[in-house]
Amino acid sequence: MAQMTMIQAITDAMRTELRNDPNVLVFGEDVGVNGGVFRATEGLQKEFGEDRVFDTPLAESGIGGLAVGLSLQGFRPVPEIQFFGFVFEVIDSISGQASRLRYRTGGKYNAPVTFRSPFGGGVHTPDMHADSLEGLMAQTPGVKVVIPSTPYDAKGLLISSIRDNDPVIFLEHMKLYRSFRQEVPEEEYTIPLGKADVKREGTDVSIITYGAMVHESLKAAEELEKEGFSAEVIDLRTVSPIDIETIIASVEKTGRAIVVQEAQKQAGIAANVVAEINDRAILSLEAPVLRVTAPDTVFAFPQAESVWLPNYKDVIETAKKVLTF
Amino acid sequence: MASKTQNAQLDAKKVLQAVEDQFQTLQILNEEGEVVNESAMPDLTDEQLQELMRRMVYTRILDQRSISLNRQGRLGFYAPTAGQEASQLASQFALEKEDFILPGYRDVPQIIWHGLPLYQAFLWSRGHFQGGQIPEGVNIAIPQIIIGAQYVQTAGVALGMKKRGAKAVAITYTGDGGTSQGDFYEGINFAGAFKAPAIFIVQNNRFAISTPVDKQSAAKTLAQKAIAAGIPGIQVDGMDPLAVYAATHDARVRAINGEGPTLIETLTYRYGPHTMAGDDPTRYRTADLDNEWEKKDPLVRFRKFLENKGIWSEEKENEVIEQAKEDIKEALKKADAAPKQKVTDLISIMHEEMPYNLKEQYEIYKEKESK
């Protein structure tokens, strides 16, 4: 076992799959010699050569089209979108093309593409770098959306994403890249997509969350514990499709739930989780399911970012509302 | 106060003129079917010339039948092709089976001649997923609806071929309007940067639905857009099958030799409406313009050329027409025999494995569709 940051675990996952499968290609803006702007592809071009790990011209739609075209030639592309705020430039390739290839060809072709991309607030980026756009992606049928919250999960989930025969959007929260290290096996392992992880067990309230908010929620759970409340924290890990079994089992146990996301409130993942709980477990509920989210604005400029982003205090406050309902 | 221009460092007119001068239209057969450019004549046997004519005649009949079938409600989405036979079929004729075609929605004839069974083209038009179940060994994508998306994908297919060491090319088509898309430029630029074996064809049929080409761009030719990507571009008479063939053949040879992509602009015209979904070309085109272009008709000039060579006759042409009609009838029968497409088919095809929500929805629609 090695101590790894999340970004090291991500690099390790790509290295593992580049070794395992000659059809895996890693490409994007500055991923070659430079190793990516966050060093996610550090050393990969040196190890696997320019044929497998390569820089592209600076055009996201071109990168997406390249990925779809390479899929038609039997490759397994792992393109990087330098920041997920740039996804608007490539959304046709994702939502209009890769996701529809199976249906268009009656199952003859598939697009086993893993679009990797950094996102997430708290690191004072310029505009269009930090937005949580997973809700937008989750409304694209045919793609999976994966968001790891730990180094261990990141490696296992990324290997599974690359091996998946359908398109996967793999979103890496920038604040988590180097915020902590964790024991990560050097050998290969997978974590199934669509499977949540109970990061902390509890009996009084279910906190359903993902990404950086997992850590805010865990911190909140610790504080709640001091006040005598036992909170269960569920890390969705895959936000599309969500792991309905784990969510419902937890809600049936606790009878109370809140959903925490960094994204804006309207539509999105949290709203979907609430709706699914409503559909499937309403009679188990002792209180309405509430959400902790950012406000319904575009992502805040750095000056206002720290207040705009939800934090553990918001989680505690909302959890108490349902606990005392 | 007027600004001074006499000391300008850029002689704008001269620069633009120099670009324009590089893009003279390649023509081999004139409107009378006479060879006007002997040195550019492609190396085609009499049998190959006859085959190309056969395909153009066949496709003209297919177009006429498709239009009437659409009007009868027996076909779905259809974008007429008459007028563009040389541009479409002579370029496809320059390909080998292992070459990969990424068509736009008007480019159904090319993929049929590349191996897509006619009944599947009909099923595709009707909106049935079995139309897209491309048979093994037929190297095509399904016609692209988003203008330009096929251009960026072509860079990917061509790069894939290069990585595989295949002696093959990826070829794609768009129209004059398509060259205004960002994806057009990204596609040719990527393929150029990767020196990928690609051929990018722009069928300049003068109108993007109703918008004339001179409103698309200040560029005098569309072929010159290749310059910015650092790749060769050529403009050809798109009503001249031999010019289209020669340019595509050359581009293919260069691509196979590792010299990278080529942009080919074919000057052509669609006689019909944009699609059969209510477009009325009389709103944006004059009858004079239609007549002017119909005089350039590819079938007329190629027929004259072949007749002068003594290798084409009315009898031969009638045989092709009868064959086309017969094939269309058979293909329709086969398309009609396909089971009605179900929502459960769609649900089960979306992913390799159904997620929980689709599993549930599958059961709901299975129930609905069993009634």
Side-chain angles (χ1 to χ4, degrees):
Chain A
M1 296 274 254
Q3 287 283 326
M4 288 189 203
T5 60
M6 192 163 98
I7 196 119
Q8 288 169 332
I10 285 166
T11 312
D12 198 44
M14 281 189 276
R15 185 184 295 115
T16 303
E17 287 314 279
L18 280 160
R19 273 185 196 149
N20 277 337
D21 182 351
N23 286 320
V24 170
L25 302 174
V26 170
F27 54 90
E29 295 155 9
D30 311 300
V31 305
V33 174
N34 196 43
V37 291
F38 288 101
R39 309 288 175 259
T41 53
E42 178 85 45
L44 297 182
Q45 188 177 71
K46 205 169 173 199
E47 184 175 348
F48 298 98
E50 253 193 271
D51 194 46
R52 308 274 315 278
V53 180
F54 54 95
D55 289 326
T56 63
L58 200 167
E60 286 77 20
S61 186
I63 291 169
L66 204 66
V68 175
L70 286 163
S71 300
L72 292 171
Q73 287 292 300
F75 287 96
R76 196 169 278 279
V78 187
E80 176 178 297
I81 305 302
Q82 198 161 62
F83 290 92
F84 206 57
F86 309 166
V87 72
F88 298 107
E89 300 289 332
V90 59
I91 212 149
D92 178 55
S93 286
I94 298 172
S95 303
Q97 308 294 330
S99 64
R100 295 166 193 243
L101 195 54
R102 264 189 201 280
Y103 182 46
R104 274 186 197 149
T105 60
K108 158 98 183 178
Y109 284 110
N110 58 306
V113 185
T114 302
F115 293 93
R116 283 185 45 252
S117 191
F119 82 109
V123 290
H124 306 300
T125 57
D127 202 6
M128 299 302 295
H129 285 63
D131 299 53
S132 290
L133 300 169
E134 64 276 9
L136 207 62
M137 290 295 106
Q139 217 185 354
T140 291
V143 306
K144 298 184 182 75
V145 187
V146 176
I147 303 181
S149 70
T150 67
Y152 179 86
D153 285 355
K155 179 172 172 182
L157 289 167
L158 183 52
I159 291 176
S160 293
S161 299
I162 295 171
R163 291 182 187 176
D164 198 278
N165 286 328
D166 288 313
V168 177
I169 314 291
F170 190 89
L171 298 175
E172 303 163 3
H173 200 292
M174 284 183 270
K175 204 177 170 188
L176 301 181
Y177 265 158
R178 293 183 173 85
S179 60
F180 68 101
R181 286 172 191 274
Q182 192 183 25
E183 290 280 311
V184 175
E186 279 163 79
E187 60 271 22
E188 64 178 73
Y189 62 93
T190 58
I191 293 173
L193 305 186
K195 202 78 197 110
D197 184 39
V198 180
K199 286 280 192 283
R200 177 193 170 107
E201 287 194 23
T203 51
D204 297 334
V205 61
S206 304
I207 304 177
I208 300 151
T209 186
Y210 57 93
M213 287 298 123
V214 169
H215 302 283
E216 295 298 320
S217 299
L218 286 169
K219 201 167 164 188
E222 268 173 46
E223 296 295 317
L224 287 164
E225 184 82 54
K226 291 175 194 162
E227 297 182 44
F229 298 113
S230 164
E232 178 147 300
V233 177
I234 295 175
D235 177 2
L236 290 175
R237 300 197 294 198
T238 300
V239 299
S240 178
I242 52 173
D243 178 359
I244 209 70
E245 278 176 32
T246 301
I247 296 169
I248 298 306
S250 176
V251 171
E252 283 174 348
K253 178 174 70 175
T254 61
R256 296 169 203 271
I258 65 170
V259 192
V260 185
Q261 70 179 16
E262 186 174 311
Q264 298 85 340
K265 191 168 197 176
Q266 183 171 290
I269 304 301
N272 187 39
V273 172
V274 175
E276 290 285 11
I277 293 172
N278 214 24
D279 281 356
R280 293 160 201 270
I282 197 149
L283 295 178
S284 303
L285 291 174
E286 305 289 341
V289 181
L290 298 184
R291 284 172 283 170
V292 178
T293 70
D296 287 319
T297 67
V298 296
F299 195 92
F301 293 145
Q303 290 258 320
E305 190 175 3
S306 64
V307 179
W308 190 86
L309 288 166
N311 64 29
Y312 76 99
K313 289 179 194 158
D314 304 311
V315 179
I316 293 168
E317 193 186 316
T318 307
K320 280 186 179 166
K321 277 187 197 161
V322 302
L323 282 162
T324 59
F325 181 79
Chain B
M1 194 177 81
S3 58
K4 281 189 190 176
T5 54
Q6 64 267 39
N7 294 330
Q9 298 303 302
L10 174 72
D11 186 339
K13 276 189 185 152
K14 198 173 152 195
V15 166
L16 292 174
Q17 192 58 51
V19 170
E20 218 180 298
D21 291 346
Q22 291 175 50
F23 293 89
Q24 303 300 319
T25 313
L26 173 71
Q27 187 186 60
I28 296 173
L29 273 190
N30 68 12
E31 292 173 23
E32 302 308 318
E34 298 155 350
V35 175
V36 294
N37 191 344
E38 192 66 53
S39 65
M41 265 297 274
D43 188 17
L44 289 167
T45 63
D46 284 356
E47 287 69 33
Q48 286 174 312
L49 292 169
Q50 286 167 322
E51 175 61 16
L52 181 52
M53 182 63 185
R54 204 176 73 79
R55 292 181 181 195
M56 294 207 298
V57 170
Y58 189 111
T59 304
R60 181 68 61 87
I61 298 300
L62 176 61
D63 184 62
Q64 290 165 358
R65 288 292 296 139
S66 298
I67 288 170
S68 58
L69 287 165
N70 172 282
R71 289 192 174 127
Q72 294 160 28
R74 296 189 67 196
L75 270 192
F77 175 80
Y78 185 70
T81 59
Q84 297 190 204
E85 289 87 353
S87 175
Q88 295 183 323
L89 302 175
S91 54
Q92 190 278 330
F93 200 62
L95 304 180
E96 299 294 333
K97 200 170 165 46
E98 57 270 25
D99 297 333
F100 197 107
I101 303 179
L102 292 98
Y105 47 73
R106 202 180 306 284
D107 305 309
V108 176
Q110 296 97 303
I111 57 174
I112 291 172
W113 289 110
H114 213 57
L116 183 73
L118 191 51
Y119 85 94
Q120 285 192 281
F122 289 159
L123 282 175
W124 178 78
S125 163
R126 288 176 178 181
H128 195 305
F129 74 92
Q130 287 180 358
Q133 286 176 326
I134 304 155
E136 210 47 50
V138 177
N139 295 311
I140 59 166
I142 289 308
Q144 182 56 248
I145 300 297
I146 297 298
I147 308 289
Q150 69 273 37
Y151 261 56
V152 282
Q153 291 172 15
T154 295
V157 172
L159 180 61
M161 288 170 159
K162 187 179 175 182
K163 288 188 184 298
R164 299 267 188 235
K167 289 280 171 214
V169 303
I171 184 169
T172 190
Y173 297 84
T174 191
D176 35 308
T179 65
S180 298
Q181 286 279 13
D183 274 358
F184 165 83
Y185 178 69
E186 292 186 28
I188 63 173
N189 187 59
F190 269 56
F194 292 125
K195 253 193 179 205
I199 303 173
F200 296 98
I201 296 197
V202 174
Q203 298 185 81
N204 177 356
N205 66 15
R206 319 308 296 172
F207 293 89
I209 303 189
S210 68
T211 307
V213 67
D214 60 10
K215 288 195 174 143
Q216 289 294 343
S217 178
K220 289 281 184 274
T221 71
L222 301 176
Q224 76 195 53
K225 294 194 174 202
I227 294 175
I231 68 170
I234 181 172
Q235 186 185 66
V236 304
D237 179 350
M239 307 302 259
D240 169 4
L242 296 181
V244 173
Y245 178 90
T248 313
H249 182 264
D250 281 4
R252 187 176 188 278
V253 170
R254 272 196 303 279
I256 298 282
N257 289 341
E259 293 169 50
T262 302
L263 179 67
I264 301 173
E265 176 189 10
T266 65
L267 297 178
T268 183
Y269 201 73
R270 74 169 141 79
Y271 299 155
H274 165 64
T275 69
M276 294 304 294
D279 179 48
D280 173 11
T282 65
R283 293 173 74 94
Y284 53 84
R285 294 195 314 219
T286 62
D288 283 351
L289 189 65
D290 287 352
N291 292 337
E292 188 190 311
W293 277 91
E294 279 172 24
K295 280 187 206 136
K296 301 177 196 281
D297 190 81
L299 275 67
V300 170
R301 75 172 78 174
F302 206 42
R303 187 182 293 120
K304 280 183 186 160
F305 169 67
L306 296 184
E307 280 172 355
N308 288 341
K309 282 177 78 83
I311 58 171
W312 195 254
S313 62
E314 202 179 330
E315 193 191 343
K316 271 202 167 65
E317 183 143 341
N318 285 334
E319 270 172 38
V320 179
I321 293 170
E322 288 316 307
Q323 184 67 53
K325 287 181 176 167
E326 191 57 34
D327 290 355
I328 292 164
K329 214 186 288 170
E330 285 305 307
L332 271 174
K333 246 189 248 169
K334 217 168 161 187
D336 289 343
K340 191 173 181 303
Q341 188 196 297
K342 293 178 177 160
V343 175
T344 43
D345 295 328
L346 164 54
I347 290 174
S348 57
I349 290 173
M350 279 302 298
H351 303 257
E352 184 175 44
E353 234 177 283
M354 278 189 264
Y356 81 93
N357 46 342
L358 284 183
K359 275 185 197 153
E360 292 172 359
Q361 290 157 15
Y362 183 87
E363 293 306 320
I364 294 167
Y365 282 86
K366 196 173 147 193
E367 173 71 20
K368 272 192 186 184
E369 289 176 334
S370 68
K371 284 172 190 162

